[in-house]
Amino acid sequence: MRTEICDRLGIEFPIFAFTHCRDVAAAVSNAGGLGVLGAVGFTAEELEVELAWLDEHVNGAYGVDLVIPSKYEGKDIDGLSPDELEAKLAELVPQRHRDFAEKLLTDHNVPPLPESEHHNQLLGWTATTVAPQIEVILRHPKAKLVANALGTPPPDVVRQIQDSGRLIGALCGSVKHALNHKKAGLDFVVCQGTEGGGHCGEIASMVLWPQVVDAIGDMPMLAAGGIGNGRQVAAAMAMGAAGAWTGSLWLTVEEANVPPAQMQTYIDATSHDTVRSRSWTGKPCRMLKNDWTEAWEQTENPDPLPMPLQMMVALDGVKRGHRYPEAAKDVNFNPVGQVVGLMNKVERSADVVGRLIQEYVEACDRLNKLNDTL
């Protein structure tokens, strides 16, 4: 199962785990895969704390996932600090949207945050706010991989990461996106089908993966979108993938920083319970459907704003949902893929890695036995 990208990163298995929880990232890396910490929810100062902790607790390498959209409101505004950009973009958010979001939370009896927990609204959703995060990453030698979740990273970011000896790649949901990544000189692509959680396109993984492999040639493709067991890993590798990029799977592990009530929501959900919605981030994002996602679809209510303005409206709801998960059960942000239908028990992260490998081996053995009969 070892592929070239394993050798480049010094990992045992090409199993990549995207997560917002440092404990999960560390556990996966120490089990032979590569934990990839999502940075979008952290300020630069907070990210420094997280990566310093990972340096101490990870034996080998880990990765970091950034969000630098190719298109977003405010991209053409140059020369502003992150705080100045946030203030400028805040002026573009209609009060009607803020009032509507607040009404949804109030109607569901979700308490407001304490004054001490008020937050900035932009975080790492633009090139301006990601720049300080990159400076942090470059101070941590165990951070061997950087991935961009939305679009091809700017050329200066690509050079900066590669000149430091790290690998940089990006997610794609179409052949066009993959070719853009290759043209930009990235080291790998993460090809995610529409089944995947979070931001995704419209093409199913089984159709998209081989198309992208054929289009990008010898550039490593990590398969994402609906992978929850080793049989699916084997299928991806059979189609030419260099590894498996997983995300939703790590929301229901013991180490996940997911409130029990929210984790139970994932465990109880089926694959029919997800929807692609712009209601939280402004771009199509797969999540569990609930009263929040349904409300933003009603014609009499405001339409979701473009990224990052919609998240500036919704971030208070994200924070309140995390702090008061019981109250926010029907209006919480639950990004997850259709694979949620397979996530029906809590496991340790290391056990999940072991299970994926064992199931992969069993799937390959099954195919080998079929070949022996030919």
Side-chain angles (χ1 to χ4, degrees):
M1 192 179 182
R2 192 175 182 88
T3 61
E4 181 186 353
I5 201 167
C6 294
D7 295 331
R8 296 184 69 182
L9 292 168
I11 60 178
E12 187 175 0
F13 308 117
I15 301 294
F16 298 78
F18 168 77
T19 174
H20 289 286
C21 178
R22 66 188 189 185
D23 296 88
V24 176
V28 172
S29 286
N30 291 336
L34 191 84
V36 182
L37 184 70
V40 71
F42 301 113
T43 64
E45 294 76 16
E46 292 168 341
L47 185 61
E48 171 62 39
V49 172
E50 299 297 299
L51 299 194
W53 186 93
L54 283 169
D55 287 343
E56 183 177 349
H57 291 84
V58 169
N59 297 327
Y62 60 86
V64 182
D65 180 272
L66 303 173
V67 178
I68 314 175
S70 297
K71 298 178 181 179
Y72 59 89
E73 290 294 315
K75 186 175 182 179
D76 57 344
I77 303 176
D78 297 321
L80 298 183
S81 69
D83 288 344
E84 290 171 334
L85 178 61
E86 178 180 330
K88 190 74 172 178
L89 292 178
E91 297 174 359
L92 303 179
V93 178
Q95 187 61 41
R96 182 186 179 214
H97 285 70
R98 295 192 187 278
D99 292 343
F100 180 63
E102 178 58 38
K103 185 176 187 303
L104 276 173
L105 297 170
T106 300
D107 288 350
H108 285 80
N109 299 312
V110 183
L113 291 173
E115 188 65 32
S116 60
E117 295 185 22
H118 282 187
H119 48 78
N120 61 27
Q121 301 172 31
L122 199 51
L123 294 178
W125 292 92
T126 70
T128 299
T129 50
V130 164
Q133 293 179 330
I134 294 173
E135 293 178 7
V136 171
I137 293 169
L138 296 180
R139 294 199 291 266
H140 295 271
K142 289 186 178 182
K144 297 291 188 182
L145 174 146
V146 176
N148 186 42
L150 282 172
T152 305
D156 60 321
V157 172
V158 176
R159 287 193 301 271
Q160 194 175 11
I161 299 299
Q162 291 179 334
D163 287 349
S164 73
R166 294 165 171 82
L167 301 185
I168 183 168
L171 274 72
C172 71
S174 70
V175 171
K176 178 182 177 181
H177 295 157
L179 290 174
N180 287 342
H181 298 339
K182 182 173 185 177
K183 184 178 180 181
L186 303 192
D187 299 295
F188 64 93
V189 298
V190 179
C191 179
Q192 177 172 278
T194 191
E195 303 98 319
H199 297 107
C200 61
E202 300 177 349
I203 305 173
S205 295
M206 289 288 286
V207 175
L208 184 62
W209 292 341
Q211 289 186 46
V212 168
V213 167
D214 290 346
I216 64 176
D218 59 358
M219 185 182 190
M221 185 277 281
L222 304 180
I227 296 179
N229 59 49
R231 288 172 291 169
Q232 293 164 315
V233 175
M237 303 293 277
M239 284 186 274
W245 183 279
T246 57
S248 299
L249 196 56
W250 311 100
L251 293 168
T252 53
V253 293
E254 287 185 8
E255 298 89 342
N257 184 24
V258 177
Q262 188 174 18
M263 187 177 291
Q264 191 61 48
T265 300
Y266 288 129
I267 291 173
D268 292 341
T270 73
S271 296
H272 295 282
D273 295 325
T274 71
V275 64
R276 290 173 75 240
S277 172
R278 295 175 51 241
S279 62
W280 287 98
T281 72
K283 287 185 181 289
C285 180
R286 188 170 294 282
M287 61 194 72
L288 292 182
K289 56 186 173 185
N290 58 18
D291 290 352
W292 177 283
T293 62
E294 294 294 294
W296 287 93
E297 290 294 323
Q298 304 306 310
T299 56
E300 68 272 17
N301 296 331
D303 290 330
L305 299 167
M307 178 178 279
L309 304 183
Q310 184 65 18
M311 181 51 83
M312 296 178 76
V313 171
L315 187 57
D316 185 58
V318 175
K319 299 285 187 179
R320 288 159 71 174
H322 194 77
R323 199 179 201 284
Y324 308 108
E326 293 281 359
K329 182 178 180 181
D330 295 323
V331 286
N332 216 340
F333 182 36
N334 300 308
V336 71
Q338 292 177 343
V339 74
V340 71
L342 298 175
M343 296 159 42
N344 49 26
K345 64 179 180 179
V346 177
E347 302 175 87
R348 292 178 62 249
S349 296
D351 291 341
V352 173
V353 175
R355 174 171 62 78
L356 292 175
I357 301 303
Q358 182 61 36
E359 292 169 346
Y360 166 84
V361 171
E362 292 171 355
C364 290
D365 286 345
R366 189 181 311 115
L367 290 175
N368 288 332
K369 289 178 182 177
L370 290 175
N371 291 336
D372 290 341
T373 65
L374 297 178

Coordinates of all heavy atoms in Angstrom, one line a residue, residues 172-246:
C172 N -9.9 19.5 -5.4 CA -10.5 19.8 -6.7 C -11.8 18.9 -6.7 O -11.9 17.9 -6.1 CB -9.6 19.4 -7.9 SG -9.4 17.7 -8.1
G173 N -12.8 19.5 -7.4 CA -14.1 18.8 -7.6 C -14.4 18.6 -9.1 O -15.5 18.2 -9.5
S174 N -13.4 18.9 -10.0 CA -13.6 18.7 -11.4 C -12.2 18.5 -12.1 O -11.2 18.8 -11.5 CB -14.3 19.9 -12.0 OG -13.4 21.0 -12.0
V175 N -12.2 18.0 -13.3 CA -11.0 17.9 -14.1 C -10.4 19.3 -14.3 O -9.2 19.4 -14.2 CB -11.3 17.2 -15.4 CG1 -10.1 17.2 -16.3 CG2 -11.7 15.7 -15.2
K176 N -11.2 20.3 -14.6 CA -10.7 21.6 -14.8 C -9.9 22.1 -13.6 O -8.8 22.7 -13.8 CB -11.9 22.6 -15.1 CG -11.4 24.0 -15.3 CD -12.6 24.9 -15.5 CE -12.2 26.4 -15.6 NZ -13.4 27.3 -15.8
H177 N -10.4 21.9 -12.4 CA -9.7 22.4 -11.2 C -8.4 21.6 -11.1 O -7.4 22.2 -10.7 CB -10.6 22.1 -10.0 CG -11.8 22.9 -9.9 ND1 -12.9 22.5 -9.2 CD2 -12.2 24.1 -10.5 CE1 -13.9 23.4 -9.4 NE2 -13.5 24.4 -10.2
A178 N -8.4 20.3 -11.3 CA -7.2 19.5 -11.2 C -6.1 20.0 -12.1 O -4.9 20.1 -11.8 CB -7.5 18.0 -11.4
L179 N -6.5 20.3 -13.4 CA -5.5 20.8 -14.4 C -5.0 22.2 -14.0 O -3.8 22.5 -14.2 CB -6.2 20.8 -15.7 CG -6.5 19.5 -16.4 CD1 -7.2 19.6 -17.7 CD2 -5.2 18.7 -16.6
N180 N -5.8 23.0 -13.4 CA -5.4 24.3 -12.9 C -4.3 24.1 -11.8 O -3.3 24.8 -11.7 CB -6.5 25.1 -12.3 CG -7.4 25.6 -13.3 OD1 -7.1 25.7 -14.5 ND2 -8.7 26.0 -12.9
H181 N -4.5 23.1 -10.9 CA -3.5 22.8 -9.9 C -2.2 22.3 -10.5 O -1.1 22.7 -10.0 CB -4.1 21.7 -8.9 CG -5.3 22.1 -8.2 ND1 -5.7 23.5 -8.0 CD2 -6.3 21.4 -7.5 CE1 -6.8 23.5 -7.3 NE2 -7.2 22.3 -7.0
K182 N -2.3 21.5 -11.5 CA -1.1 20.9 -12.1 C -0.3 22.1 -12.8 O 0.9 22.1 -12.7 CB -1.5 19.8 -13.1 CG -0.2 19.2 -13.8 CD -0.5 18.0 -14.6 CE 0.7 17.4 -15.1 NZ 0.5 16.2 -15.9
K183 N -1.1 22.9 -13.5 CA -0.4 24.0 -14.2 C 0.3 25.0 -13.2 O 1.3 25.6 -13.6 CB -1.5 24.8 -15.0 CG -0.9 26.0 -15.8 CD -2.0 26.7 -16.6 CE -1.5 27.8 -17.5 NZ -2.5 28.5 -18.2
A184 N -0.2 25.1 -12.0 CA 0.4 25.9 -11.0 C 1.6 25.3 -10.3 O 2.2 25.9 -9.5 CB -0.7 26.3 -10.0
G185 N 1.9 24.0 -10.7 CA 3.0 23.4 -10.1 C 2.9 22.8 -8.8 O 3.9 22.5 -8.1
L186 N 1.6 22.5 -8.4 CA 1.4 21.9 -7.1 C 2.0 20.4 -7.0 O 2.2 19.8 -8.1 CB -0.1 21.8 -6.7 CG -0.8 23.2 -6.7 CD1 -2.2 23.0 -6.1 CD2 0.0 24.3 -6.0
D187 N 2.2 19.9 -5.8 CA 2.8 18.6 -5.7 C 1.8 17.5 -5.7 O 2.2 16.3 -6.0 CB 3.5 18.6 -4.3 CG 4.7 19.6 -4.3 OD1 5.6 19.4 -5.1 OD2 4.6 20.5 -3.4
F188 N 0.5 17.8 -5.4 CA -0.5 16.7 -5.4 C -1.9 17.4 -5.5 O -2.0 18.6 -5.3 CB -0.4 15.9 -4.2 CG -0.7 16.6 -2.9 CD1 -2.0 16.7 -2.3 CD2 0.3 17.3 -2.2 CE1 -2.3 17.4 -1.2 CE2 0.1 18.0 -1.0 CZ -1.2 18.0 -0.5
V189 N -2.9 16.6 -5.8 CA -4.3 17.1 -5.8 C -5.1 16.2 -4.9 O -4.8 15.0 -4.8 CB -4.9 17.2 -7.2 CG1 -4.2 18.2 -8.1 CG2 -5.0 15.9 -7.8
V190 N -6.0 16.7 -4.2 CA -7.0 16.0 -3.5 C -8.3 16.0 -4.3 O -8.9 17.1 -4.4 CB -7.2 16.5 -2.0 CG1 -8.3 15.7 -1.3 CG2 -5.9 16.5 -1.3
C191 N -8.7 14.9 -4.8 CA -9.9 14.9 -5.7 C -11.1 14.4 -4.9 O -11.2 13.2 -4.5 CB -9.6 13.9 -6.9 SG -11.0 13.7 -8.0
Q192 N -12.0 15.3 -4.7 CA -13.2 15.0 -3.8 C -14.5 15.0 -4.6 O -14.9 16.0 -5.3 CB -13.3 16.0 -2.7 CG -14.5 15.8 -1.8 CD -14.5 16.7 -0.6 OE1 -13.9 16.4 0.4 NE2 -15.2 17.8 -0.7
G193 N -15.2 13.9 -4.5 CA -16.5 13.7 -5.1 C -17.6 14.4 -4.3 O -17.3 14.9 -3.2
T194 N -18.7 14.6 -4.9 CA -19.8 15.3 -4.3 C -20.3 14.7 -3.0 O -20.9 15.3 -2.2 CB -21.0 15.4 -5.3 OG1 -22.0 16.4 -4.8 CG2 -21.7 14.1 -5.5
E195 N -20.0 13.4 -2.8 CA -20.4 12.7 -1.6 C -19.7 13.3 -0.3 O -20.1 13.1 0.8 CB -20.1 11.2 -1.6 CG -20.7 10.5 -2.8 CD -19.7 10.3 -3.9 OE1 -19.0 11.3 -4.2 OE2 -19.7 9.2 -4.5
G196 N -18.6 13.9 -0.5 CA -17.7 14.4 0.5 C -18.3 15.4 1.4 O -19.2 16.2 1.0
G197 N -17.9 15.5 2.6 CA -18.3 16.6 3.6 C -17.6 17.9 3.3 O -16.6 17.9 2.7
G198 N -18.2 19.0 3.7 CA -17.6 20.3 3.5 C -17.8 20.7 2.1 O -18.8 20.3 1.4
H199 N -16.9 21.5 1.6 CA -17.1 22.1 0.2 C -16.8 21.0 -0.8 O -15.8 20.3 -0.8 CB -16.1 23.3 0.1 CG -16.4 24.4 1.0 ND1 -15.6 24.7 2.1 CD2 -17.4 25.3 1.0 CE1 -16.1 25.7 2.7 NE2 -17.2 26.1 2.1
C200 N -17.7 20.9 -1.7 CA -17.7 19.9 -2.8 C -18.4 20.3 -4.0 O -19.1 21.2 -4.0 CB -18.3 18.6 -2.2 SG -20.0 18.7 -1.8
G201 N -18.1 19.6 -5.1 CA -18.7 19.9 -6.4 C -19.9 19.0 -6.6 O -20.6 18.6 -5.6
E202 N -20.2 18.7 -7.9 CA -21.4 18.0 -8.2 C -21.2 16.6 -8.8 O -22.2 15.9 -9.1 CB -22.2 18.8 -9.2 CG -22.6 20.2 -8.7 CD -23.3 21.0 -9.7 OE1 -23.3 20.6 -10.9 OE2 -23.9 22.1 -9.3
I203 N -19.9 16.2 -9.0 CA -19.6 14.9 -9.7 C -19.3 13.8 -8.6 O -18.5 14.1 -7.7 CB -18.5 15.1 -10.6 CG1 -18.8 16.2 -11.6 CG2 -18.2 13.8 -11.4 CD1 -17.7 16.5 -12.6
A204 N -19.8 12.6 -8.8 CA -19.6 11.5 -7.8 C -18.2 11.0 -7.9 O -17.5 11.1 -9.0 CB -20.6 10.4 -8.1
S205 N -17.7 10.6 -6.8 CA -16.3 10.1 -6.7 C -15.9 9.0 -7.7 O -14.8 9.1 -8.3 CB -16.0 9.6 -5.2 OG -16.1 10.6 -4.3
M206 N -16.7 8.0 -7.8 CA -16.4 6.9 -8.7 C -16.3 7.4 -10.2 O -15.6 6.7 -11.0 CB -17.5 5.8 -8.6 CG -17.5 5.1 -7.3 SD -16.1 3.9 -7.2 CE -16.6 2.6 -8.3
V207 N -16.9 8.4 -10.5 CA -16.8 9.0 -11.9 C -15.6 10.0 -11.9 O -14.9 10.0 -12.9 CB -18.1 9.7 -12.3 CG1 -18.0 10.4 -13.6 CG2 -19.3 8.8 -12.3
L208 N -15.4 10.8 -10.9 CA -14.4 11.8 -10.9 C -13.0 11.3 -10.8 O -12.1 11.8 -11.5 CB -14.8 12.8 -9.8 CG -13.9 14.1 -9.8 CD1 -14.0 14.9 -11.0 CD2 -14.3 14.9 -8.6
W209 N -12.8 10.4 -9.9 CA -11.4 9.9 -9.6 C -10.7 9.5 -10.8 O -9.6 10.0 -11.1 CB -11.4 8.8 -8.6 CG -11.8 9.2 -7.2 CD1 -11.9 10.5 -6.7 CD2 -12.3 8.3 -6.2 NE1 -12.3 10.4 -5.4 CE2 -12.6 9.1 -5.0 CE3 -12.5 6.9 -6.1 CZ2 -13.0 8.6 -3.8 CZ3 -12.9 6.4 -4.9 CH2 -13.2 7.2 -3.8
P210 N -11.2 8.6 -11.6 CA -10.4 8.1 -12.8 C -10.2 9.2 -13.9 O -9.2 9.3 -14.6 CB -11.2 6.9 -13.4 CG -12.6 7.1 -12.8 CD -12.4 7.8 -11.5
Q211 N -11.2 10.1 -14.0 CA -11.1 11.2 -14.9 C -9.9 12.1 -14.5 O -9.1 12.5 -15.4 CB -12.3 12.1 -15.0 CG -13.5 11.4 -15.6 CD -14.7 12.4 -15.7 OE1 -14.6 13.5 -16.1 NE2 -15.9 11.9 -15.3
V212 N -9.8 12.4 -13.3 CA -8.7 13.3 -12.8 C -7.3 12.5 -12.9 O -6.3 13.1 -13.3 CB -8.9 13.7 -11.4 CG1 -7.7 14.4 -10.8 CG2 -10.1 14.7 -11.3
V213 N -7.3 11.3 -12.6 CA -6.0 10.5 -12.7 C -5.6 10.5 -14.2 O -4.4 10.8 -14.5 CB -6.2 9.0 -12.3 CG1 -5.1 8.2 -12.7 CG2 -6.4 9.0 -10.7
D214 N -6.5 10.3 -15.1 CA -6.1 10.3 -16.5 C -5.6 11.7 -17.0 O -4.7 11.9 -17.8 CB -7.3 9.9 -17.4 CG -7.6 8.4 -17.2 OD1 -6.8 7.7 -16.7 OD2 -8.7 8.0 -17.6
A215 N -6.2 12.8 -16.4 CA -5.9 14.1 -16.8 C -4.6 14.6 -16.3 O -3.9 15.3 -17.0 CB -7.1 15.1 -16.4
I216 N -4.2 14.3 -15.1 CA -3.0 14.9 -14.5 C -1.8 14.0 -14.6 O -0.7 14.3 -14.2 CB -3.3 15.2 -13.0 CG1 -3.5 14.0 -12.2 CG2 -4.4 16.2 -12.9 CD1 -3.7 14.3 -10.7
G217 N -1.9 12.8 -15.2 CA -0.8 11.9 -15.4 C -0.1 11.4 -14.2 O -0.7 10.9 -13.3
D218 N 1.2 11.7 -14.1 CA 2.0 11.2 -12.9 C 1.9 12.0 -11.7 O 2.6 11.7 -10.7 CB 3.4 11.0 -13.3 CG 4.1 12.3 -13.8 OD1 3.4 13.3 -13.8 OD2 5.3 12.3 -14.1
M219 N 1.1 13.1 -11.7 CA 0.9 13.9 -10.5 C 0.1 13.1 -9.5 O -1.0 12.6 -9.8 CB 0.2 15.2 -10.9 CG 0.1 16.2 -9.7 SD -0.9 17.7 -10.3 CE -0.6 18.7 -8.9
P220 N 0.5 13.0 -8.2 CA -0.2 12.2 -7.3 C -1.6 12.7 -7.0 O -1.8 13.9 -6.8 CB 0.6 12.3 -6.0 CG 2.0 12.6 -6.5 CD 1.8 13.5 -7.7
M221 N -2.6 11.8 -7.0 CA -4.0 12.2 -6.7 C -4.4 11.4 -5.4 O -4.3 10.2 -5.4 CB -4.9 11.8 -7.9 CG -6.4 12.3 -7.7 SD -7.4 11.2 -6.7 CE -7.8 9.9 -7.9
L222 N -4.8 12.2 -4.4 CA -5.4 11.6 -3.2 C -6.9 11.6 -3.4 O -7.5 12.6 -3.6 CB -5.0 12.4 -2.0 CG -3.4 12.6 -1.8 CD1 -3.1 13.4 -0.6 CD2 -2.7 11.2 -1.8
A223 N -7.5 10.4 -3.2 CA -9.0 10.3 -3.4 C -9.7 10.7 -2.2 O -9.4 10.2 -1.1 CB -9.3 8.9 -3.8
A224 N -10.8 11.5 -2.3 CA -11.6 11.9 -1.2 C -13.1 11.9 -1.7 O -13.4 11.9 -2.8 CB -11.2 13.4 -0.8
G225 N -13.9 11.9 -0.7 CA -15.4 12.0 -1.0 C -16.0 10.6 -0.7 O -16.2 9.8 -1.7
G226 N -16.4 10.4 0.5 CA -17.2 9.1 0.8 C -16.4 8.0 1.2 O -16.9 6.8 1.2
I227 N -15.1 8.1 1.6 CA -14.3 7.0 2.0 C -14.5 6.8 3.5 O -14.2 7.6 4.3 CB -12.8 7.2 1.7 CG1 -12.6 7.3 0.2 CG2 -12.0 6.2 2.3 CD1 -11.2 7.6 -0.2
G228 N -15.0 5.6 3.9 CA -15.3 5.3 5.3 C -14.8 3.9 5.7 O -14.8 3.5 6.8
N229 N -14.3 3.1 4.7 CA -13.7 1.8 5.0 C -12.6 1.4 4.0 O -12.4 2.1 3.0 CB -14.8 0.7 5.1 CG -15.6 0.6 3.8 OD1 -15.0 0.5 2.7 ND2 -16.9 0.6 3.8
G230 N -12.0 0.3 4.3 CA -10.8 -0.1 3.5 C -11.2 -0.6 2.2 O -10.4 -0.5 1.2
R231 N -12.4 -1.1 2.0 CA -12.8 -1.5 0.6 C -12.9 -0.3 -0.3 O -12.5 -0.4 -1.5 CB -14.2 -2.1 0.7 CG -14.3 -3.5 1.4 CD -15.7 -4.0 1.6 NE -16.4 -3.2 2.6 CZ -17.7 -3.3 2.8 NH1 -18.5 -4.0 2.1 NH2 -18.2 -2.6 3.8
Q232 N -13.3 0.9 0.2 CA -13.3 2.1 -0.6 C -11.9 2.6 -0.9 O -11.6 3.1 -1.9 CB -14.2 3.1 0.1 CG -15.7 2.7 0.2 CD -16.4 3.6 1.2 OE1 -16.0 3.8 2.3 NE2 -17.6 4.0 0.8
V233 N -11.0 2.4 0.1 CA -9.6 2.8 -0.1 C -9.1 1.9 -1.3 O -8.4 2.4 -2.2 CB -8.8 2.6 1.2 CG1 -7.3 2.8 0.9 CG2 -9.3 3.5 2.3
A234 N -9.4 0.6 -1.2 CA -8.9 -0.3 -2.3 C -9.4 0.1 -3.6 O -8.7 0.1 -4.7 CB -9.2 -1.7 -2.0
A235 N -10.7 0.5 -3.7 CA -11.3 0.9 -4.9 C -10.6 2.2 -5.5 O -10.3 2.3 -6.7 CB -12.8 1.2 -4.7
A236 N -10.3 3.1 -4.6 CA -9.6 4.3 -5.0 C -8.2 4.0 -5.5 O -7.8 4.6 -6.6 CB -9.5 5.3 -3.8
M237 N -7.5 3.2 -4.8 CA -6.2 2.8 -5.3 C -6.2 2.1 -6.6 O -5.3 2.3 -7.5 CB -5.5 2.0 -4.2 CG -5.4 2.6 -2.8 SD -4.3 4.1 -2.7 CE -2.7 3.3 -2.5
A238 N -7.2 1.3 -6.8 CA -7.4 0.5 -8.1 C -7.6 1.5 -9.2 O -7.2 1.2 -10.4 CB -8.5 -0.4 -8.0
M239 N -8.2 2.6 -9.0 CA -8.4 3.6 -10.0 C -7.2 4.6 -10.2 O -7.3 5.5 -11.0 CB -9.7 4.4 -9.7 CG -10.9 3.6 -10.0 SD -12.5 4.5 -9.8 CE -12.7 4.3 -8.1
G240 N -6.1 4.4 -9.5 CA -5.0 5.2 -9.7 C -4.6 6.2 -8.6 O -3.7 6.9 -8.8
A241 N -5.4 6.2 -7.5 CA -5.1 7.1 -6.4 C -3.8 6.8 -5.8 O -3.3 5.6 -5.7 CB -6.2 7.1 -5.4
A242 N -3.1 7.8 -5.3 CA -1.8 7.6 -4.5 C -2.1 7.5 -3.0 O -1.2 7.4 -2.2 CB -0.9 8.8 -4.8
G243 N -3.3 7.7 -2.6 CA -3.7 7.6 -1.2 C -5.1 8.0 -1.0 O -5.8 8.4 -2.0
A244 N -5.6 7.9 0.2 CA -7.0 8.2 0.6 C -7.0 9.4 1.5 O -6.3 9.4 2.6 CB -7.7 7.0 1.2
W245 N -7.8 10.4 1.2 CA -8.0 11.6 2.0 C -9.3 11.5 2.6 O -10.4 11.5 2.0 CB -7.9 12.9 1.1 CG -8.0 14.2 1.8 CD1 -9.1 14.8 2.2 CD2 -6.9 15.1 2.1 NE1 -8.8 16.1 2.8 CE2 -7.4 16.2 2.7 CE3 -5.5 15.0 2.0 CZ2 -6.6 17.3 3.2 CZ3 -4.7 16.0 2.4 CH2 -5.3 17.1 3.0
T246 N -9.4 11.4 3.9 CA -10.6 11.2 4.7 C -10.9 12.4 5.6 O -9.9 13.1 6.0 CB -10.5 9.9 5.5 OG1 -9.4 10.0 6.4 CG2 -10.4 8.7 4.6

